[in-house]
Structure formats: C-alpha cells, structure tokens
Amino acid sequence: MAIGSTRETGVSTPRAPTSATLTARAPGTVEVPENTILTTLDSVVNWCRKYSLWPMPFATACCGIELMAVGASRFDIARFGAEVMRFSPRQCDLMIVAGRVAMKMMPVLQRIWLQMPEPKWCISMGACASTGGVFDTYAVVQGIDRFIPVDVYIPGCPPRPEQILRAIMEMQAKIQRGGSLAGTGLPEQAEREKMLVEKQTMPPGFALAGERGDEDRFGYRLPGGPGELGAGESM
C-alpha cells in the first residue's frame, strides 16, 4: 500500500466541490423539497376536469353507432377518463351531438343544454350535426352552432371512432389551456361568459338561452323561440 494513504494515516482527503455545493440560494427565496410540484389552483382544477368528463350523448342517426363503438373494448374511451356517459343532463358536462337534428328536435336539445351545469362543453359529431350534411332542407338544422355553442367539430359521415378520441383529446387540451374557476378564460367564449353573468343576476330558477332561438334560412322559424327554463325548473 502506498505511504500516505488514508487507510494508514486515518486522514480523509477532501472531496472536490460539486455543482450542488456551489449553487447558492437567492436571498428571500424558499427551498422547495424534493418531489414537490408548484402550480396554480386553476391548473389543478382543469387537470381534474379534463380527465373526468361525463358525456351526454345526443345520438339521432348513424353517428350514434360510431359513438357506441368508442365505449367498447376495442377503442375504450375509458382510457381518456370520459366513459361515464349519463342520460341525465344534470349529471353531465360534455354534450356530444351525433347525427342530424330536426327543427322539432331542436327545442329538446336546447332544453337539455340549459339543464347541464356549468362549466360545460359541446362536441358536434359528424357532418349532419355540424352543417346539416346532405339534408339541406327546411326540416333539418343546418348546424347546431346556430343555437348552442360548439367547442369541437368532428368531420365525416359518419366519423370513425378514432376521430372521436381525437376530439376528446382536443377538448381536454382546450379545458387545460383556458379553464379557470371563474370562467373559461378563452376569447371565443367571452360572449358566453357574459351570458352566464346575466343569468346569475336573474331571479332564482329562471334562465334564458343567449344563443339564437330561431332559424330563418329557409323562411321557417323554430317553434317557441329561444329555449327557456321556467320558475318551476331549477338549473
């Protein structure tokens, strides 16, 4: 053994300083413990919302069959946390309109949308729900966005289940990017948030849809006008 080694003399050789020992904490800062993540409350709430979507399926035609396939084992929408489909609007926050919507069906769709609690989102699935599709007639709504706000559009006639999963991913990204406790925070939702403020100042149990309640493209107006919730129906 060489003379002067630490084993013979019992003196330890000082280690070279590392980058961890050279870094100094700035004055007034707090040292963050290991395995700690700093974020905002809005980001945490949005993260919980986007992975716990409860869809409200409104299927009226062949798009509904593709929507059913998404919930099966081959495509498994449960991987995205959106498999809890409910047929009660008061338990849902994501409406998926799959198929054509007739003029007589529009008041029903509008009432269901009003009964869904905030925050809520909408996916227009297929060409019929988005633009009327091949049914360019007076009896079919030429796009549900004329009556309720739509967040994501899915093209196709009918679209494949993979497109629905992609729409769910786009919806989750939008929720994470712009959601907040007080509102969506998205510029395209400014009018909708203004409507929500007006609804809060109304008498309890009454609400009025701020979206268009008539369709006069073919000289035909929707019966009943804008969808309303009377005093006997609470939100």
Side-chain angles (χ1 to χ4, degrees), residues 80-169:
F80 301 89
E83 80 280 8
V84 187
M85 294 193 182
R86 290 291 184 266
F87 294 90
S88 173
R90 291 177 175 85
Q91 298 179 358
C92 301
D93 55 6
L94 174 62
M95 174 177 281
I96 302 178
V97 182
R100 59 187 179 274
V101 179
M103 284 291 182
K104 288 187 176 182
M105 185 61 68
M106 195 62 223
V108 179
L109 175 63
Q110 209 171 27
R111 180 176 292 269
I112 293 175
W113 172 257
L114 288 173
Q115 290 175 343
M116 292 172 59
E118 294 286 347
K120 55 188 174 183
W121 302 273
C122 179
I123 293 179
S124 179
M125 177 183 171
C128 292
S130 301
T131 63
V134 299
F135 302 98
D136 193 8
T137 66
Y138 67 91
V140 177
V141 175
Q142 303 299 300
I144 62 171
D145 54 359
R146 296 168 179 260
F147 301 96
I148 63 176
V150 176
D151 296 282
V152 178
Y153 297 87
I154 306 178
C157 183
R160 283 190 54 83
E162 292 90 347
Q163 294 176 260
I164 304 174
L165 297 179
R166 180 62 185 177
I168 294 293
M169 296 171 63

Side-chain angles (χ1 to χ4, degrees), residues 187-207:
E188 61 267 26
Q189 297 292 340
E191 291 296 328
R192 178 177 168 188
E193 293 182 6
K194 181 181 177 181
M195 181 193 70
L196 295 178
V197 175
E198 295 176 355
K199 287 168 62 177
Q200 293 175 358
T201 60
M202 290 182 178
F206 179 84

Side-chain angles (χ1 to χ4, degrees), residues 11 14 20-21 26 42 50 61 87 107 122 132 155 164 173 227:
V11 179
T21 59
D42 287 340
K50 74 176 186 178
F87 294 90
C122 179
I164 304 174

